[in-house]
Amino acid sequence: MTDRVIKPVGRGFLFLDSHPAGCVQLVKGLTEQVEARRLEQRPVALVIGSSSGYGLAATIAGLARYGIDGIGISFEKAPARRTATAGWYRTAATAAYAEERGSDFHFINADAFADTTKADVLDLLQEKFGGVDYLIYSVAAPRRVDPRTDTTYQSAIKAIGQPAQTKSLAYDAGEPVLQEVGIEVATDEEVAETVAVMGGEDWSRWVDALEERKLLKDGFSTVALTYIGSELTGPIYRQGSIGAAKAHLEATARELSERDGVQARTSVNGAAVTQASSAIPGIGLYVSLLHKVLGDGLQTPMQQSIALWDQLTGEKPLDLDDDGRIRLDRWELTDDVQSAVKKQWDAVTQDNIAEVADTVWFYEEVRRLYGFDVAGVDYEQEVEVDVEWPTKA
């Protein structure tokens, strides 16, 4: 037994440890947000990036609403000198929930970019299910090793064309700090590497592998999760190096959909507090302003994931834009919402940031990513940190 009292220790938006009980309670809270539906047969889903953010929400929504079977893939660190990563504990809790629901859902801890991972996962899919109905691609990684060339690609958060300046939110001892951050121009090589990490190449390889093994079931559908966002974050996001990768993702969807038996789309999700988004300058401030404007009107990743599953299963019609993308972000980008957020963005200063932006909420949401500040958890009590990765016999 390795029971310990776990406290949030770190800097900024990064914490060194995660709280196992907090992560379990967080998953429980997510499952309670979902109203169950039933299909005649359990769909088989492969979720790549199932342990955090929108990938976690999509996994839980699929399990809770439609009783999906299948496989979730993530890449998490086991407990050692430090606790395990939060995604490790969230996965253990999600696996326990899947068992309770009667779903035959397996969780693989491995590098999704690796061909060996693809082979192992496809072997399991073939053995257990004979194929797959849905592939949800939700990978957020800072780097990628291409197993076919052994080349390591590193993503860059930079502008394209000309330097950019943005306001950004930081914290000092838990207190909000408004910063002005300069964004350098990416080189052509940095843009290309960012596309190699965050674009559609690996998504396409997963579909290739499934197709080659004849594991695509009739009506197979795949979505890659993406984001467009506001003009306020455009220079660092949609018009920057990340945006080039997202454009490649969308182009990949069009290419995949030209194949027989494949329906591929990108799903444009709304703004959320995730470990990936909190690392991007300007996003934290934007989301905290958005929440100040919308309050409970800010749709959570779980609400959007329920909507995604409803559309994928035909429970509700697809909400597509002119480019064929599923739009789950319309609530964020209405003219009145964006006008209100821009007004707050222009008005924010260090003196008024705590009033103009919802900085307390944002900081609590960041801590919840690691299992802290979760209601119903006694953080003064010792908790077992050596939790095993969920495996099925």
Side-chain angles (χ1 to χ4, degrees):
M1 297 291 288
T2 51
D3 291 6
R4 291 161 44 192
V5 174
I6 307 297
K7 296 294 184 181
V9 177
R11 176 178 295 178
F13 299 140
L14 297 175
F15 291 85
L16 300 176
D17 289 313
S18 303
H19 199 283
C23 292
V24 170
Q25 188 68 14
L26 182 70
V27 168
K28 181 175 184 292
L30 291 174
T31 65
E32 291 171 348
Q33 297 177 33
V34 189
E35 180 183 347
R37 298 279 194 274
R38 279 295 181 187
L39 299 175
E40 291 184 7
Q41 290 186 323
R42 290 180 181 269
V44 177
L46 173 59
V47 183
I48 304 174
S50 60
S51 63
S52 63
Y54 277 102
L56 173 67
T59 302
I60 293 174
L63 289 166
R65 197 158 181 84
Y66 292 107
I68 59 173
D69 293 331
I71 300 174
I73 306 170
S74 58
F75 203 18
E76 301 293 344
K77 290 184 179 179
R81 185 175 67 88
R82 292 286 179 185
T83 68
T85 52
W88 181 284
Y89 297 126
R90 288 190 296 256
T91 299
T94 306
Y97 176 75
E99 289 284 348
E100 293 172 8
R101 292 279 295 167
S103 287
D104 186 9
F105 206 87
H106 303 248
F107 289 91
I108 306 298
N109 188 34
D111 178 6
F113 297 135
D115 286 340
T116 52
T117 300
K118 292 178 175 64
D120 291 343
V121 169
L122 269 57
D123 285 346
L124 184 58
L125 272 174
Q126 189 161 39
E127 175 190 351
K128 294 292 184 180
F129 310 111
V132 62
D133 297 294
Y134 301 103
L135 166 60
I136 296 179
Y137 192 85
S138 179
V139 176
R143 66 187 60 83
R144 169 182 170 228
V145 178
D146 188 329
R148 301 176 189 183
T149 64
D150 204 30
T151 303
T152 299
Y153 298 107
Q154 183 79 35
S155 63
I157 304 174
K158 292 189 175 183
I160 291 178
Q162 59 184 7
Q165 193 84 8
T166 188
K167 297 177 181 180
S168 195
L169 176 63
Y171 288 87
D172 183 6
E175 294 299 315
V177 177
L178 183 65
Q179 298 179 332
E180 288 285 340
V181 178
I183 310 299
E184 297 178 354
V185 176
T187 64
D188 291 344
E189 182 180 359
E190 287 173 326
V191 172
E193 290 203 23
T194 304
V195 170
V197 176
M198 303 173 65
E201 184 176 39
D202 184 63
W203 180 29
S204 182
R205 286 185 181 179
W206 273 101
V207 177
D208 290 344
L210 290 164
E211 199 171 29
E212 288 167 6
R213 292 280 292 271
K214 296 180 171 53
L215 292 175
L216 304 183
K217 291 191 174 186
D218 290 344
F220 170 77
S221 179
T222 180
V223 292
L225 308 188
T226 189
Y227 180 66
I228 291 177
S230 168
E231 291 182 2
L232 295 170
T233 58
I236 186 58
Y237 200 93
R238 195 63 192 189
Q239 285 95 54
S241 54
I242 299 175
K246 299 303 183 183
H248 186 273
L249 200 68
E250 292 165 8
T252 301
R254 293 189 291 272
E255 292 169 4
L256 290 174
S257 285
E258 292 175 357
R259 304 184 188 183
D260 290 337
V262 176
Q263 183 182 86
R265 301 189 187 278
T266 52
S267 173
V268 184
N269 296 82
V273 184
T274 67
Q275 285 166 289
S277 68
S278 63
I280 303 173
I283 297 294
L285 177 62
Y286 170 74
V287 176
S288 66
L289 293 169
L290 185 65
H291 189 264
K292 188 73 171 182
V293 168
L294 285 174
D296 290 341
L298 189 152
Q299 290 192 17
T300 66
M302 182 54 70
Q303 289 173 299
Q304 295 174 59
S305 295
I306 292 169
L308 176 61
W309 274 111
D310 285 351
Q311 293 182 43
L312 290 178
T313 58
E315 178 83 3
K316 294 183 179 178
L318 290 169
D319 180 5
L320 304 178
D321 64 15
D322 292 341
D323 294 315
R325 301 172 294 199
I326 299 173
R327 297 307 292 259
L328 304 176
D329 64 338
R330 297 191 190 276
W331 56 271
E332 176 188 346
L333 298 182
T334 62
D335 290 343
D336 58 339
V337 169
Q338 285 299 306
S339 176
V341 174
K342 185 178 188 306
K343 181 178 178 181
Q344 301 291 82
W345 179 281
D346 292 340
V348 67
T349 66
Q350 180 59 51
D351 292 336
N352 67 13
I353 187 171
E355 291 76 41
V356 171
D358 210 338
T359 56
V360 171
W361 167 83
F362 185 83
Y363 194 60
E364 289 175 348
E365 287 297 298
V366 170
R367 288 162 62 96
R368 280 164 54 83
L369 297 174
Y370 295 87
F372 299 104
D373 289 354
V374 179
V377 178
D378 185 352
Y379 290 97
E380 300 304 320
Q381 294 293 315
E382 292 185 341
V383 63
E384 174 62 50
V385 299
D386 278 349
V387 175
E388 292 186 357
W389 185 264
T391 56
K392 296 170 73 71

